[in-house]
Amino acid sequence: MTETAESVIQRADTLYFQGRCDDAIRTLADFIACAPNPDAANIRVAELLIDSERHERALEFLKRIPAVEADSRTAYLYGVCHHALGNLDAAARIADRLLAEKGRDALALVLKARTATFHGDSNEVERLLTEAVECDPGCGIAWHDYASLRRRQGDAEACFRLAAKAFACTPASRAVVTAFHESALASQRLAEAETAFREAVSCRRMDRRL
């Protein structure tokens, strides 16, 4: 019996969060090679590669998706990869188009803020991230980038508070988990961080990172 994309993705996720990243990527890549409609698997493998900061490889999978920029989810991932690889004009163009099409969109605002960060425009970064968390308080990556802004500004306490919000929203993100851990150490808010980690682990017992 042929596996569905959903079951393969679930299997790959289990491997990934057990710390077996290469096995997870291989599982999805093998499915993509023979599936008649592998778009969902292409998206998931790209997300896992981005989480592992392997943006160039993620971009390879995203380019296989027809009209990758037509869908807001894949367009955002595409923009994240371009930004990480230094293609700032491409990332800014994608963010601008998403905002023009969708209006206030947290992920598009985050992408736009990242390009503004590169140009050193801290006021614009603040404005964009404030708008991002206002329009979607559940967007963990928006809280994460807001925490990063406060860290760069030297405000360890504010960084911890914002990183904790990011962690509560997105405990599966490597970047979010790492930033929360680092902010807890920097602010010496160890007891609060431990409680948050224990609560997350109770819901995600297979997640070795946690």
Side-chain angles (χ1 to χ4, degrees):
M1 181 176 177
T2 303
E3 273 194 284
T4 64
E6 182 179 3
S7 66
V8 173
I9 289 170
Q10 288 176 349
R11 186 154 55 88
D13 282 352
T14 298
L15 292 168
Y16 186 79
F17 291 112
Q18 287 175 343
R20 299 167 61 187
C21 178
D22 289 343
D23 289 339
I25 301 306
R26 190 177 303 111
T27 296
L28 289 165
D30 288 347
F31 175 80
I32 289 165
C34 60
N37 183 18
D39 285 358
N42 274 314
I43 292 169
R44 189 56 184 151
V45 75
E47 289 174 333
L48 296 183
L49 287 164
I50 289 169
D51 190 65
S52 299
E53 299 182 351
R54 296 158 66 179
H55 297 91
E56 189 168 3
R57 184 82 171 111
L59 200 59
E60 294 175 12
F61 284 96
L62 289 170
K63 286 179 177 178
R64 301 178 186 183
I65 300 172
V68 63
E69 293 190 41
D71 177 80
S72 60
R73 177 184 178 189
T74 54
Y76 166 73
L77 296 173
Y78 204 52
V80 167
C81 289
H82 278 298
H83 175 268
L85 295 170
N87 304 326
L88 300 181
D89 289 343
R93 175 184 57 77
I94 291 168
D96 286 338
R97 187 177 61 75
L98 286 172
L99 290 170
E101 291 177 357
K102 301 188 67 176
R104 299 176 81 211
D105 177 82
L107 292 177
L109 288 163
V110 167
L111 188 56
K112 185 74 173 175
R114 290 183 177 183
T115 62
T117 298
F118 179 84
H119 295 295
D121 191 346
S122 59
N123 290 333
E124 179 68 356
V125 173
E126 178 102 28
R127 183 189 71 78
L128 291 165
L129 293 176
T130 298
E131 188 173 354
V133 297
E134 285 176 352
C135 73
D136 185 1
C139 181
I141 201 64
W143 290 112
H144 166 272
D145 282 24
Y146 211 163
S148 297
L149 174 64
R150 290 291 180 259
R151 176 180 52 77
R152 292 192 298 272
Q153 294 170 338
D155 190 339
E157 286 296 321
C159 176
F160 175 78
R161 290 195 301 272
L162 295 168
K165 289 179 180 290
F167 183 70
C169 295
T170 318
S173 164
R174 176 179 179 176
V176 167
V177 171
T178 301
F180 180 50
H181 181 262
E182 291 176 349
S183 70
L185 294 176
S187 62
Q188 288 297 293
R189 303 282 285 275
L190 305 182
E192 292 170 69
E194 181 177 357
T195 297
F197 273 113
R198 288 187 181 279
E199 289 176 356
V201 168
S202 70
C203 299
R204 302 176 59 84
R205 294 189 179 278
M206 297 299 291
D207 192 329
R208 285 186 59 193
R209 182 185 301 145
L210 292 176

